[in-house]
Amino acid sequence: MIAFWMNIPLQQRNAIKEVLVGLQADETRSIRMAISQVIAIIAVNEVPRGQWPTILDSLLSGTSSDNLLYRSACLCTLGSICDEDYTVLKAGGQHILTAIMQNLSAPDSPLELRKISAFALSDCLELCQESLLNPSERRIIIQTLIQVAGMEDEELSSSAYEILIDIVPLVYEKLADNLADLFALSVNSIKNCSEHIVKMAIEFWIVVCEEELSIIEEGKPSQNYVKFALGHLVAVLIESMNKFADQYADPDEYNVSSAASNCLSQMTAVVKEDIIPHTLPYIEQNFTSDNAALRDTAILVFRCIVDLPGCADYVKQAIPVLLQNMSSSETKLKDTTSWTIGMICKKHPDVVKQGIDQISFVLCTSIRDDDPQVAATSCWALLNLAQTIDEENSFWDLLNDIIQIVLVGTERGNDELTSSCFESLQVIAANAPEKCKEILVRLMNPVIARLGECVLQLQNNGMSESIGNIQSSMCSLLVVLLLKLEDSAHPNCNQIAEIVFHILNSPNASYVGEEAILVIGAIAHITGEGFIGFANEIIPLLLTAMSQWQDHSICLIAISVISDITRALNTQFSPYADATMMSLMELVSHGEVDRSIPPLALSCMGDIAIAIGAQFANYLPVFLKVAAKPAIEEAVKPLPPDDVDYQEFIDELKCSIIEAFTGIIHGLRTGDKSDLILKELGNVAELLLHIAKDKPENRSEALTNAAIGLIGDITMNYGHKSESLGKNEDIQKFIVNSFKTSKSAATQSLAKWAATLISRL
């Protein structure tokens, strides 16, 4: 569309733009908004080409027009241009900010004009960053926003709060100048304003907490704004939780209570034990209150601080009261309580062990609660409990009964509860000790039967997101059971594979594809070479999943499971090598795939080489040209110093290249074809030297291991033919230093092995 516009003769374009500017004063708001958007798009494309030099002055002039409709339209257009690309107007940034602030702060500005000005300021924040760094200008901007945020109009107040929230990360270090006023504004809003504005005021402090927590985690000193606000802010947050308490509220709704709870949790993360004196009096006063709403708030506040080590004694005292609450008739109280019990199970396992039998009994009873939300939350608490206990705990003696209770929960017809039950069973099964193996074997059949029923139901009624979640949970549970039981699950593999084949072959596969593919990987692990019976049906489906690189998570899992299958089938994978290598080559050479895909594809090629041995010689030329050469060229380029994500990607890419060559060397060796790759070792040596010369802090332990392992493999396979690599001074320093400095026994062992081989050259 832009190309079409730019091909219109300039004279005609100017005429159209003149008409558009005139229409900005149209009385219909939707027309003004649309015109502003069109002008913004044109300006973003023409101004950098020097083709609309008058637009900025025209819009700035309009912001002081007596025609309020035109004035608001010009402000809106300035915001729209900045939202599209603020750099287009960077030269006029100061003038734009002045125009917006004048219209926003003027006492005689109409309410609608102030709203437009607030929206424009929000869009122009990036343009205004230099002004925010100037103390006097920053003070004026923030004070104006404080004034506007305190106004009665909810929409205008909300807009001002949104800008203040966006400003926090930009000027956190400089907020001290306005902190007292910001604190007074937010406290007044939380005490006296509508629910929406209360949430905005709380959100402001959540963002402050997040900023301070990020600074603390980096090991830097924060400005301690949260400590400054701690006492009074905790009090008003608790007050707001009581004021807006609603026992019938949707538990998934983000209301004042959940916002305040979130803020208290964030404050706890920042100030740690310092929050206890400010919360404990309210908790102690209301924890056993006859008023269910006050008791619910007290438990919610307690949950926000429960993971602090200093709360261990209070937790021990609280557990009996919490367990008693689970027999209450108040649904909201039971839901809050079960969440809190779950947090305690997660954070205080030593305390929980002392009352494990009673806690298990109450949670299992609550899974049968009439309210499915309470039952689902109790499943989550049970999940946390199973993760924190040891194999000798009496919990496992009750496992059969617990599983039966949870399975009944899956039959109640509530999709969220069903998913929670299967997720709980997944974690319980993963943590169950060896003595519970027979119980887990008996669990297989009902899960398989239920998954089969679900597939038939979907064929008849179609897919929904909630049903997809249930299928995913069942598939994840089957993965755990298969890997946990191994040979004991072998008799179930045929039936499971048939069901998963139907899932992957259905038009709804995208809902559960990842989990279903992982089931295939688990079956391959168990059946080994017996997986050949499933290969003809399953491998084409995995190749199809690999081709869906736009959904990179499914593509990655499919590649990973292909690697599992190569290890299971070994030479029996040969008939599928052509199609698989073609798919992998397409992925590594495609310029638009997510960058997490090529490294895994390279590693998979190495796995294929190990599996099919000398047959990999057929793919060696195209592998070297299409996959290895471009990957090595990218891997040895200088790294941008500040792009941590890219540095991690390159580290992973180097690992994968090395894994691929390691696999190929091992594979070709089985057919006495190792020499086929000997002449190509120069490129590999370049990569290994690059790694060896790099600073130790620039490479992961995994990369160090992989590089030393490949050096050793090359030395062992090619002897004196690899002398130029093994005797290289940088390579030898790399191996010796890795042995001396690494804390990993595996790295030290590899380095010693490689050094011994090189010494024999």
Side-chain angles (χ1 to χ4, degrees):
M1 200 66 180
I2 295 301
F4 173 78
W5 169 258
M6 298 305 294
N7 284 328
I8 297 173
L10 182 60
Q11 188 175 1
Q12 293 180 26
R13 275 189 279 144
N14 288 339
I16 294 170
K17 289 184 289 188
E18 189 175 339
V19 172
L20 290 171
V21 170
L23 286 173
Q24 283 185 296
D26 193 277
E27 292 184 0
T28 305
R29 187 175 188 274
S30 60
I31 292 177
R32 294 198 307 274
M33 298 293 287
I35 293 298
S36 291
Q37 194 62 45
V38 172
I39 291 175
I41 293 171
I42 293 172
V44 165
N45 285 278
E46 287 200 351
V47 170
R49 295 177 170 89
Q51 293 183 0
W52 202 356
T54 60
I55 183 61
L56 177 57
D57 290 339
S58 174
L59 292 173
L60 286 172
S61 174
T63 62
S64 58
S65 170
D66 292 334
N67 185 328
L68 294 180
L69 294 179
Y70 182 60
R71 191 194 302 187
S72 65
C74 289
L75 288 164
C76 184
T77 304
L78 285 168
S80 297
I81 294 173
C82 289
D83 188 45
E84 290 285 335
D85 183 359
Y86 78 94
T87 60
V88 169
L89 300 180
K90 195 168 185 179
Q94 188 62 54
H95 298 296
I96 293 170
L97 177 61
T98 300
I100 293 172
M101 294 304 296
Q102 284 175 346
N103 282 281
L104 180 62
S105 61
D108 59 343
S109 284
L111 186 61
E112 189 62 30
L113 187 62
R114 283 188 158 188
K115 291 179 182 178
I116 292 292
S117 301
F119 292 142
L121 180 58
S122 178
D123 288 334
C124 294
L125 268 187
E126 286 186 285
L127 187 67
C128 302
Q129 285 194 43
E130 288 186 15
S131 296
L132 286 170
L133 296 176
N134 182 296
S136 59
E137 292 183 38
R138 180 178 63 252
R139 194 175 299 111
I140 292 170
I141 293 170
I142 294 179
Q143 284 301 137
T144 300
L145 289 169
I146 289 172
Q147 175 195 352
V148 174
M151 295 179 70
E152 291 185 4
D153 185 84
E154 184 177 285
E155 184 180 3
L156 184 56
S157 176
S158 177
S159 296
Y161 262 117
E162 286 178 6
I163 299 170
L164 286 170
I165 289 167
D166 289 339
I167 281 176
V168 170
L170 301 177
V171 296
Y172 167 81
E173 299 287 344
K174 311 297 182 184
L175 280 179
D177 295 341
N178 303 92
L179 189 62
D181 292 333
L182 287 166
F183 173 75
L185 167 71
S186 57
V187 167
N188 181 66
S189 295
I190 294 170
K191 283 184 172 182
N192 301 312
C193 291
S194 67
E195 184 171 357
H196 176 70
I197 298 303
V198 171
K199 287 192 290 185
M200 296 298 296
I202 293 172
E203 183 65 25
F204 171 82
W205 282 103
I206 290 173
V207 173
V208 173
C209 289
E210 290 172 345
E211 196 67 24
E212 291 205 353
L213 191 59
S214 175
I215 291 169
I216 292 167
E217 288 174 348
E218 291 174 1
K220 301 175 183 176
S222 76
Q223 297 297 312
N224 293 318
Y225 299 144
V226 177
K227 279 191 177 182
F228 163 82
L230 190 58
H232 291 297
L233 190 56
V234 167
V236 294
L237 287 172
I238 294 174
E239 182 184 329
S240 72
M241 293 165 78
N242 285 325
K243 181 179 177 180
F244 291 95
D246 180 2
Q247 62 174 321
Y248 303 110
D250 181 348
D252 295 326
E253 179 189 356
Y254 191 70
N255 52 30
V256 169
S257 183
S258 49
S261 172
N262 184 13
C263 190
L264 284 172
S265 297
Q266 295 284 357
M267 292 171 73
T268 301
V270 173
V271 303
K272 306 298 185 187
E273 267 77 5
D274 287 348
I275 201 170
I276 293 178
H278 301 286
T279 51
L280 198 58
Y282 180 85
I283 295 169
E284 290 178 333
Q285 182 180 348
N286 296 285
F287 208 72
T288 56
S289 172
D290 293 334
N291 184 316
L294 293 176
R295 201 180 344 156
D296 183 74
T297 301
I299 294 169
L300 195 55
V301 174
F302 183 62
R303 191 174 78 199
C304 296
I305 65 169
V306 78
D307 59 340
L308 293 172
C311 283
D313 290 339
Y314 303 116
V315 168
K316 192 181 300 183
Q317 298 170 35
I319 287 177
V321 179
L322 293 171
L323 295 178
Q324 187 177 355
N325 281 346
M326 294 306 294
S327 60
S328 168
S329 60
E330 299 288 341
T331 298
K332 188 171 184 293
L333 177 62
K334 288 188 289 187
D335 187 49
T336 302
T337 300
S338 56
W339 266 108
T340 306
I341 293 172
M343 289 294 295
I344 290 172
C345 291
K346 193 173 186 178
K347 301 295 184 178
H348 295 276
D350 292 337
V351 176
V352 168
K353 287 174 186 176
Q354 299 170 27
I356 190 76
D357 292 340
Q358 190 180 5
I359 295 172
S360 303
F361 174 79
V362 169
L363 291 178
C364 287
T365 302
S366 299
I367 290 172
R368 294 177 286 198
D369 192 275
D370 291 340
D371 186 87
Q373 177 64 36
V374 172
T377 311
S378 299
C379 276
W380 176 78
L382 192 66
L383 174 157
N384 286 333
L385 183 65
Q387 284 181 312
T388 57
I389 53 179
D390 56 49
E391 294 185 352
E392 302 304 320
N393 197 284
S394 59
F395 175 89
W396 301 114
D397 298 332
L398 306 169
L399 183 58
N400 189 59
D401 293 336
I402 292 170
I403 285 176
Q404 295 309 311
I405 290 169
V406 178
L407 282 175
V408 170
T410 68
E411 302 287 348
R412 287 176 52 179
N414 181 278
D415 292 345
E416 183 181 351
L417 173 57
T418 302
S419 290
S420 296
C421 287
F422 281 120
E423 288 165 9
S424 180
L425 288 172
Q426 176 189 341
V427 174
I428 290 171
N431 289 276
E434 180 68 22
K435 66 181 180 180
C436 298
K437 189 172 184 178
E438 287 304 314
I439 298 173
L440 298 183
V441 170
R442 292 197 296 271
L443 176 59
M444 287 286 288
N445 285 331
V447 176
I448 295 168
R450 186 67 186 279
L451 182 59
E453 291 169 7
C454 195
V455 171
L456 289 175
Q457 179 187 347
L458 292 174
Q459 288 176 350
N460 296 327
N461 302 325
M463 174 66 81
S464 68
E465 184 175 353
S466 58
I467 297 298
N469 290 337
I470 293 172
Q471 267 201 13
S472 296
S473 299
M474 285 191 280
C475 286
S476 296
L477 173 56
L478 282 176
V479 171
V480 170
L481 290 172
L482 287 166
L483 296 177
K484 189 90 174 179
L485 298 174
E486 294 193 323
D487 289 345
S488 297
H490 200 291
N492 302 104
C493 286
N494 283 353
Q495 190 179 3
I496 297 171
E498 184 178 349
I499 294 171
V500 172
F501 173 76
H502 285 297
I503 293 174
L504 293 177
N505 214 23
S506 76
N508 304 308
S510 59
Y511 277 93
V512 288
E514 295 178 29
E515 289 77 12
I517 291 171
L518 288 171
V519 174
I520 295 301
I523 292 174
H525 173 76
I526 291 172
T527 57
E529 293 189 350
F531 188 83
I532 193 65
F534 310 115
N536 284 339
E537 289 184 323
I538 295 297
I539 290 178
L541 293 176
L542 294 177
L543 296 182
T544 299
M546 282 168 54
S547 69
Q548 297 170 2
W549 51 265
Q550 295 89 342
D551 187 346
H552 70 274
S553 58
I554 282 193
C555 180
L556 289 169
I557 291 173
I559 295 171
S560 179
V561 171
I562 285 287
S563 287
D564 293 337
I565 293 172
T566 64
R567 288 188 282 272
L569 294 181
N570 293 314
T571 57
Q572 292 186 88
F573 188 79
S574 294
Y576 311 101
D578 280 357
T580 306
M581 285 296 296
M582 185 180 298
S583 295
L584 292 170
M585 289 298 176
E586 288 175 0
L587 290 174
V588 297
S589 60
H590 199 301
E592 296 182 13
V593 301
D594 187 89
R595 67 186 184 192
S596 61
I597 292 174
L600 195 62
L602 285 164
S603 296
C604 186
M605 292 179 199
D607 292 328
I608 291 173
I610 292 173
I612 66 176
Q615 184 189 337
F616 194 85
N618 298 332
Y619 311 111
L620 187 58
V622 69
F623 164 80
L624 293 169
K625 181 180 179 181
V626 176
K629 190 172 183 293
I632 291 173
E633 288 174 354
E634 182 165 11
V636 299
K637 287 179 181 176
L639 290 174
D642 299 324
D643 193 340
V644 176
D645 289 341
Y646 186 72
Q647 291 170 10
E648 290 177 354
F649 158 68
I650 290 297
D651 189 274
E652 185 181 358
L653 180 63
K654 291 173 181 176
C655 275
S656 298
I657 296 167
I658 291 171
E659 288 170 2
F661 274 100
T662 300
I664 291 168
I665 290 171
H666 280 272
L668 295 179
R669 185 176 62 190
T670 61
D672 291 330
K673 293 190 175 182
S674 297
D675 285 350
L676 289 177
I677 201 172
L678 182 60
K679 63 181 180 180
E680 301 295 337
L681 289 181
N683 288 331
V684 184
E686 179 189 359
L687 175 62
L688 291 171
L689 281 168
H690 175 80
I691 294 168
K693 292 177 181 179
D694 205 0
K695 296 177 182 178
E697 59 267 25
N698 290 345
R699 58 175 178 264
S700 64
E701 193 75 36
L703 178 56
T704 300
N705 280 2
I708 294 173
L710 181 56
I711 293 167
D713 284 333
I714 291 172
T715 305
M716 184 172 64
N717 278 278
Y718 300 108
H720 70 277
K721 295 178 182 177
S722 64
E723 191 169 358
S724 60
L725 175 68
K727 293 294 187 180
N728 182 278
E729 184 178 350
D730 291 310
I731 292 292
Q732 292 187 346
K733 282 182 181 178
F734 167 59
I735 293 172
V736 171
N737 289 337
S738 297
F739 178 81
K740 288 181 177 178
T741 61
S742 177
K743 297 179 181 178
S744 165
T747 302
Q748 291 177 337
S749 177
L750 271 173
K752 185 176 181 180
W753 167 73
T756 301
L757 291 172
I758 290 171
S759 68
R760 296 171 183 167
L761 291 175

